[in-house]
Amino acid sequence: MWLQQTYLQSLTVRLEEMRIKRRDSEQWMHHRLLPQDLRERVRRYDQYKWLETRGVDEETLVQSLPKDLKRDIKRHLCLNLVRRVSMVLFFSVVFDAPLVCFFPIFFVEICL
């Protein structure tokens, strides 16, 4: 029971933070006179971000961790992506090789 209550309280806080962020974003877009298409893109991004993270600021959470733990988490989260990139690079090498030059940059980004 206590765990459910804590979860609901946490979710309520995150929903309120998201509502405030959305309001601030709308005010900023209005103040800067952004065109409607840009405003829609910002709204879609905010919605996507909320659906992916449920309001948890993953970047801040990971940034506060020690470097080795941060690296291990990034590796874990990106492992499937790295495997897919490896397959793309394999086919790229076999057929044309335009992506090979980006491979080291990609790995540096994951491992830091």
Side-chain angles (χ1 to χ4, degrees), residues 9 13 16-17 27 40 45 49 53 65 96 100 111:
Q9 288 172 344
V13 167
E16 180 63 17
E17 288 172 350
Q27 288 175 347
E40 272 307 309
Y45 173 77
K49 193 76 167 166
T53 65
L65 298 172
D96 191 48
V100 174
C111 296

Side-chain angles (χ1 to χ4, degrees), residues 86-98 100:
S86 297
M87 288 302 296
V88 169
L89 287 173
F90 168 76
F91 287 113
S92 176
V93 169
V94 170
F95 295 110
D96 191 48
V100 174

Side-chain angles (χ1 to χ4, degrees), residues 3-106:
L3 186 58
Q4 291 173 337
Q5 189 175 20
T6 303
Y7 173 77
L8 289 175
Q9 288 172 344
S10 175
L11 184 60
T12 303
V13 167
R14 288 193 310 256
L15 283 169
E16 180 63 17
E17 288 172 350
M18 184 61 179
R19 189 187 67 72
I20 291 168
K21 183 181 178 221
R22 190 174 293 144
R23 186 197 66 208
D24 291 347
S25 179
E26 289 292 335
Q27 288 175 347
W28 177 82
M29 291 187 294
H30 177 74
H31 175 72
R32 292 297 180 180
L33 304 172
L34 286 183
Q36 195 60 34
D37 62 321
L38 289 177
R39 291 180 192 203
E40 272 307 309
R41 289 172 58 192
V42 169
R43 290 180 193 120
R44 279 195 311 261
Y45 173 77
D46 284 343
Q47 183 179 12
Y48 164 78
K49 193 76 167 166
W50 170 257
L51 291 173
E52 286 295 312
T53 65
R54 288 293 179 209
V56 176
D57 187 0
E58 293 175 337
E59 291 178 29
T60 302
L61 185 93
V62 172
Q63 283 299 333
S64 66
L65 298 172
K67 191 173 185 176
D68 60 332
L69 187 54
K70 211 182 322 187
R71 182 193 61 235
D72 293 345
I73 289 171
K74 286 184 178 183
R75 282 184 182 156
H76 169 76
L77 294 174
C78 297
L79 186 58
N80 288 334
L81 181 59
V82 169
R83 287 181 178 147
R84 285 191 303 209
V85 168
S86 297
M87 288 302 296
V88 169
L89 287 173
F90 168 76
F91 287 113
S92 176
V93 169
V94 170
F95 295 110
D96 191 48
L99 297 175
V100 174
C101 61
F102 295 112
F103 196 63
I105 296 169
F106 181 76

